Amino acid sequence: MTNVVDPADTEHRFRRNGQDLRVRVVGLDEGGERGHLLLFGAVADGCLVRVHSRCLYGEALRSQDCDCGPELDKALDLIQAAGSGVLVYLEQEGRGAGLIAKALGYRESERSGADTFTSYETLGYPADARTYLATARALADLGLRSVQLLTNNPAKVEALRQEGLQVTAVPLRTRALSERARDYLEAKRTRRKHWIPTDAAPWALDQADAASPMTDEPSAVDPVVITPGENIRPRPGPGAAPDLIGA
């Protein structure tokens, strides 16, 4: 259940990167999903939404071993640029297994050379124990019926879809900070079917369609519009909202 405090009573100024936004906070604690919804600006249908699991290493300690910190930074950049959006920040450290399990998984991966999904399973943990159904209900409770979901994870899209939300999946492009982080992205792709935007097709904007030569900055990608009952697949070509994809 969400908290009983009126979100309007929590509204205050949030300043980041020299820009101000108004933010309201809603608590979430239901079905094993604990965290908060941060409502930036005037939240409405079609707004940007990031469903993010806490990562102490990547966010607070700025570890270069994963993409969690860069993904959160990128999502907040996009929400600020849009002037509104929702950050759902979930207490799901270590893909829901906790920080100790995460540390044990890292150690097992160092010992065996396996990816952390395999290491979790070797240690008796689920590869990914997270759920998002309560999160989806909380978003629906806000009155949202459609969202632009900032994610590379099809499981998050599916959870929101099951609640009846129309989802436009906007993959988050970030740069791997190390070889270990690159290996982790590859494991996400092969083990959990994440989309990993790259310079290659189908993610890259074709040279023939570009207004200027390609640079180190990312190209646009056509977002994946998901409605209840549809399958998920990325589509090639320039997108209708190029500002939503970035490095």
Side-chain angles (χ1 to χ4, degrees):
M1 61 182 294
T2 54
N3 62 359
V4 295
V5 175
D6 187 338
D9 293 338
T10 70
E11 183 173 335
H12 63 280
R13 185 184 72 173
F14 175 85
R15 188 166 183 80
R16 178 177 177 272
N17 291 340
Q19 180 182 349
D20 285 350
L21 274 180
R22 305 299 296 180
V23 62
R24 293 165 288 150
V25 180
V26 177
L28 175 65
D29 189 353
E30 180 182 345
E33 295 174 42
R34 295 188 304 107
H36 295 86
L37 287 77
L38 280 71
L39 317 180
F40 293 96
V43 173
D45 267 347
C47 69
L48 297 177
V49 173
R50 170 64 181 169
V51 178
H52 189 88
S53 299
R54 182 172 78 100
C55 176
L56 175 65
Y57 286 3
E59 297 158 18
L61 305 183
R62 311 308 293 181
S63 166
Q64 297 178 332
D65 295 327
C66 65
D67 58 326
C68 303
E71 280 196 334
L72 180 59
D73 288 342
K74 185 63 185 179
L76 286 172
D77 287 346
L78 295 171
I79 288 172
Q80 283 193 276
S84 66
V86 180
L87 170 64
V88 184
Y89 192 84
L90 297 172
E91 296 296 332
Q92 295 179 332
E93 183 77 55
R95 298 194 295 269
L99 187 59
I100 298 297
K102 180 176 183 174
L104 291 171
Y106 270 133
R107 182 179 176 86
E108 173 62 20
S109 291
E110 290 176 352
R111 185 195 66 80
S112 66
D115 63 69
T116 57
F117 297 103
T118 300
S119 292
Y120 272 34
E121 292 170 335
T122 299
L123 295 168
Y125 300 110
D128 192 335
R130 294 174 295 178
T131 62
Y132 309 103
L133 291 179
T135 294
R137 286 193 291 269
L139 290 170
D141 287 346
L142 295 176
L144 297 177
R145 295 296 175 262
S146 64
V147 298
Q148 296 185 71
L149 188 63
L150 300 167
T151 189
N152 300 337
N153 186 348
K156 295 178 181 179
V157 174
E158 178 64 15
L160 270 60
R161 181 183 66 82
Q162 287 182 11
E163 191 58 30
L165 292 169
Q166 180 173 320
V167 179
T168 302
V170 182
L172 276 176
R173 179 158 183 196
T174 61
R175 301 289 184 190
L177 300 177
S178 67
E179 286 295 330
R180 194 176 197 177
R182 187 173 292 109
D183 290 343
Y184 184 42
L185 288 173
E186 179 62 13
K188 284 184 172 183
R189 185 184 69 82
T190 58
R191 290 296 310 275
R192 308 302 294 177
K193 308 305 180 185
H194 286 213
W195 308 301
I196 308 298
T198 68
D199 287 329
W203 302 111
L205 180 66
D206 291 337
Q207 275 292 106
D209 296 325
S212 58
M214 297 282 284
T215 68
D216 287 338
E217 291 300 309
S219 304
V221 61
D222 194 3
V224 188
V225 180
I226 307 300
T227 54
E230 288 187 337
N231 293 323
I232 304 167
R233 65 182 186 277
R235 299 196 302 268
D243 290 339
L244 298 185
I245 304 294

